[in-house]
Amino acid sequence: MGIISWIVVGLIAGLLAKLIMPGDDPGGLVITTLIGMAGALVGGFLVNLLGGAGVTGLNVWSILVATLGAVILLALYRVLAGGRRRRV
């Protein structure tokens, strides 16, 4: 998969993950894209462990897998950063 495809899948997956899990998370468009790209790695790894096809290109399945991984990353971030952030 080319770098442009990774960026597009990452952006879409990051936006979907933030839509699924709304909250006061830091970051703009770049951080959202990076979360989606990292989510593609995490989701692809987990789906491969279960015997499925991971991220295979710019298609709906890859976006779903990447979104799953991005949601997992956002949840982990909230668990780890939850005690460190100050509520105002």
Side-chain angles (χ1 to χ4, degrees), residues 16-49:
L16 288 173
K18 285 196 173 189
L19 186 69
I20 292 169
M21 295 184 66
D24 189 26
D25 296 317
L29 198 59
V30 173
I31 299 299
T32 300
T33 303
L34 292 174
I35 289 171
M37 291 171 72
L41 294 173
V42 171
F45 176 74
L46 292 176
V47 169
N48 278 330
L49 283 179

Side-chain angles (χ1 to χ4, degrees), residues 1-68:
M1 199 160 78
I3 188 71
I4 301 296
S5 297
W6 273 102
I7 293 170
V8 171
V9 168
L11 176 63
I12 294 169
L15 290 172
L16 288 173
K18 285 196 173 189
L19 186 69
I20 292 169
M21 295 184 66
D24 189 26
D25 296 317
L29 198 59
V30 173
I31 299 299
T32 300
T33 303
L34 292 174
I35 289 171
M37 291 171 72
L41 294 173
V42 171
F45 176 74
L46 292 176
V47 169
N48 278 330
L49 283 179
L50 297 174
V55 178
T56 58
L58 186 57
N59 54 45
V60 175
W61 176 251
S62 295
I63 292 171
L64 291 175
V65 170
T67 302
L68 170 70

